[in-house]
Amino acid sequence: MDIVNIKKKSLSIHNTDRRDSNIGKLLLDLGKIKPEDAERVLRLQKEEGIRFGDAAQRLGLISDADIMQVLSLQFDYPYLQLDQCAFSKDLIAAYQPFSSQVEALRALRSQLILRWFNEKNKALAVISVTPGDGGSHLAANLAVVFSQLGEKTLLIDANLREPVQHKIFNLTESRGLSDILAGRSAPDIATKIESFVDLTVLGAGTTPPNPQELLNRSNFTDFMRQAVAGYDAVIVDTAPAAETSDALAVASRCGGAILVARLNQTRLAKLKNIQDQLTISGVQIVGAVVNDF
């Protein structure tokens, strides 16, 4: 298994059609400079023969972060500022897309594409060994970086015991996977997250008294078939594997999984036990991630 160390931080994304605009107009639209500031910048730009952004920085009107935000819009790679949305700060892939932590996420994404998704597989379970290992946050950020790549991405919260994706993405739809499996809702209740490039999130839904039975129903298999037919990448968050067999049921529907452990906390014996269970069940373990936070 491949080990990738990822430190916990925060992130988010913004969708716009202003990528063809020049830097000056984008800075005005974003409120980074005022019209009177633009005149000063243009004068300095003409006098020194430098770029608009460089002139604005020289005048102390904008920062390096402002330039990166504008360039991200021009190159169709926008992202949100921390004070611009209600999403969790744990979404580091969106709030801090140029950080070293997100570079590690992109490296993990590249490995997953080469080792799993390029092999005509579309679904992947993200399995924490024990509570607190960070699997849910990794699943959320993985979904974001896959959508940043232009992949039509679906994030499913299959942790029917203590779900968190509805909190991370501030979902207003209270129904989710459990309601679909119980026959109380249709699959179209998944929420398209407009602030992101191409990301849809399906929350866990109503907390059921029988999560394991729901996840072992044949209609979960049917639902996953529909999901992989409609999306390029399906990331599925699960309950911690050391506490229940829910994750095993989910992973068997996905065909592949990555294991998530926490440095200096997760016991190797538990990790090995879960690895053996998945292998016996025919689930391919694509890799493992050690969270260091």
Side-chain angles (χ1 to χ4, degrees), residues 26-293:
L26 287 172
L27 288 170
L28 283 168
D29 290 344
L30 292 171
K32 301 296 183 181
I33 62 174
K34 300 176 182 178
E36 55 268 31
D37 295 328
E39 294 180 4
R40 294 171 54 204
V41 175
L42 288 169
R43 283 198 297 269
L44 181 60
Q45 181 185 18
K46 185 176 182 180
E47 292 171 2
E48 301 291 335
I50 57 179
R51 294 176 297 184
F52 188 95
D54 292 334
Q57 279 189 291
R58 187 175 295 185
L59 290 171
L61 299 172
I62 61 173
S63 64
D64 288 338
D66 294 328
I67 288 292
M68 291 301 291
Q69 185 180 8
V70 170
L71 288 174
S72 71
L73 292 173
Q74 288 189 318
F75 284 86
D76 197 21
Y77 192 73
Y79 64 100
L80 287 180
Q81 303 299 299
L82 284 173
D83 59 351
Q84 289 181 325
C85 72
F87 301 128
S88 169
K89 294 181 180 180
D90 289 316
L91 286 176
I92 59 171
Y95 288 117
Q96 300 177 25
F98 311 110
S99 66
S100 59
Q101 290 81 12
V102 180
E103 284 300 321
L105 279 167
R106 293 193 190 100
L108 176 60
R109 178 188 65 189
S110 297
Q111 290 190 42
L112 292 174
I113 289 173
L114 292 172
R115 296 170 180 265
W116 184 246
F117 290 97
N118 270 2
E119 301 298 322
K120 298 183 178 180
N121 301 301
K122 288 188 175 183
L124 183 73
V126 178
I127 303 176
S128 290
V129 177
T130 55
D133 287 344
S136 294
H137 292 109
L138 177 64
N141 282 290
L142 266 182
V144 171
V145 295
F146 268 96
S147 74
Q148 288 173 339
L149 195 61
E151 298 293 299
K152 189 177 180 182
T153 306
L154 173 64
L155 172 64
I156 300 173
D157 194 343
N159 183 346
L160 304 186
R161 298 175 186 270
E162 295 186 14
V164 297
Q165 299 301 339
H166 65 289
K167 296 179 182 178
I168 293 176
F169 289 95
N170 194 28
L171 300 181
T172 57
E173 174 59 74
S174 60
R175 296 169 298 172
L177 179 62
S178 66
D179 301 282
I180 294 172
L181 299 182
R184 300 170 56 190
S185 298
D188 59 6
I189 59 174
T191 302
K192 180 75 164 61
I193 310 297
E194 298 298 337
S195 297
F196 294 82
V197 179
D198 200 345
L199 177 62
T200 300
V201 178
L202 177 65
T206 307
T207 303
N210 58 337
Q212 192 172 130
E213 286 76 15
L214 284 178
L215 293 172
N216 277 292
R217 287 183 178 179
S218 60
N219 62 345
F220 184 34
T221 302
D222 297 336
F223 170 77
M224 288 302 298
R225 288 199 189 104
Q226 295 177 33
V228 298
Y231 292 87
D232 300 316
V234 180
I235 308 297
V236 188
D237 187 17
T238 71
E243 296 195 332
T244 75
S245 60
D246 295 4
L248 191 61
V250 173
S252 65
R253 267 70 174 184
C254 296
I258 56 174
L259 296 176
V260 184
R262 184 173 178 180
L263 187 65
N264 298 325
Q265 175 173 301
T266 306
R267 294 185 177 276
L268 288 177
K270 289 185 177 180
L271 179 63
K272 181 64 167 59
N273 180 52
I274 294 165
Q275 178 185 353
D276 292 342
Q277 290 182 46
L278 290 169
T279 301
I280 292 172
S281 299
V283 177
Q284 181 175 333
I285 301 175
V286 184
V289 172
V290 176
N291 266 322
D292 179 12
F293 60 87

